[in-house]
Amino acid sequence: MKRRAFVAVPLAVLLAFGSTAALSGCSVRSVVRSVTHGHVDVRGHAVPRDFPQDVPLAHGEVVYGASVGSSESKVWNVTIKVHGTDAMESIGDQFMQAGFEEKLDNSSTKTATASFTKKPYSALVVVAKDAARGWVANYTVSEKG
């Protein structure tokens, strides 16, 4: 249970301050580092250095990238600009070609959500319209230790 809390609390902090603008402030970074005991990589407009190569990402401009955790348990979050909810179809195809199993697929004209698993990874992808950035695909990927 402590292991879940170790990942859940930092993830909640990152999601609460999920925009690049919010994470650019030193005070927010200090809070995140304090909560995660220094196990955080806020990359801004780049994919985290240690993002798993087995996990496919949509092609497009990276809006946000971060990771929290340690070698025992890790969570990555990446947001990429896409062209609309129909981007989920090609994202799903990428995951299938990479050997992932689809666990959830829920799409409409306003949002699309899908989850994928392949040991040791679990990925949740949400495609939605952001007021400032247009259509984005947000990937939350966790590694099961």
Side-chain angles (χ1 to χ4, degrees):
M1 189 67 167
K2 286 182 184 180
R3 188 177 207 177
R4 257 191 218 162
F6 178 74
V7 173
V9 171
L11 181 58
V13 170
L14 281 176
L15 293 176
F17 297 103
S19 74
T20 304
L23 284 171
S24 64
C26 291
S27 62
V28 173
R29 283 188 183 185
S30 297
V31 169
V32 171
R33 287 187 194 283
S34 174
V35 169
T36 63
H37 304 291
H39 299 291
V40 64
D41 179 16
V42 180
R43 299 285 295 159
H45 296 284
V47 175
R49 289 181 202 101
D50 62 347
F51 189 85
Q53 291 187 10
D54 290 350
V55 178
L57 291 172
H59 299 287
E61 179 187 342
V62 176
V63 175
Y64 170 77
S67 64
V68 295
S70 66
S71 59
E72 292 180 17
S73 184
K74 193 104 179 189
V75 176
W76 297 268
N77 190 272
V78 177
T79 303
I80 298 174
K81 283 188 176 184
V82 295
H83 55 273
T85 57
D86 55 339
M88 186 59 85
E89 186 175 333
S90 61
I91 290 169
D93 290 345
Q94 287 178 309
F95 273 96
M96 296 297 105
Q97 290 171 3
F100 281 77
E101 181 181 340
E102 189 173 47
K103 294 289 187 179
L104 164 79
D105 183 0
N106 186 4
S107 298
S108 71
T109 57
K110 294 184 180 190
T111 62
T113 305
S115 67
F116 307 91
T117 59
K118 176 178 141 183
K119 289 185 180 183
Y121 303 109
S122 192
L124 174 65
V125 182
V126 177
V127 175
K129 191 166 189 177
D130 179 85
R133 296 177 183 91
W135 289 97
V136 295
N138 181 269
Y139 292 72
T140 301
V141 178
S142 61
E143 181 177 24
K144 302 172 191 174

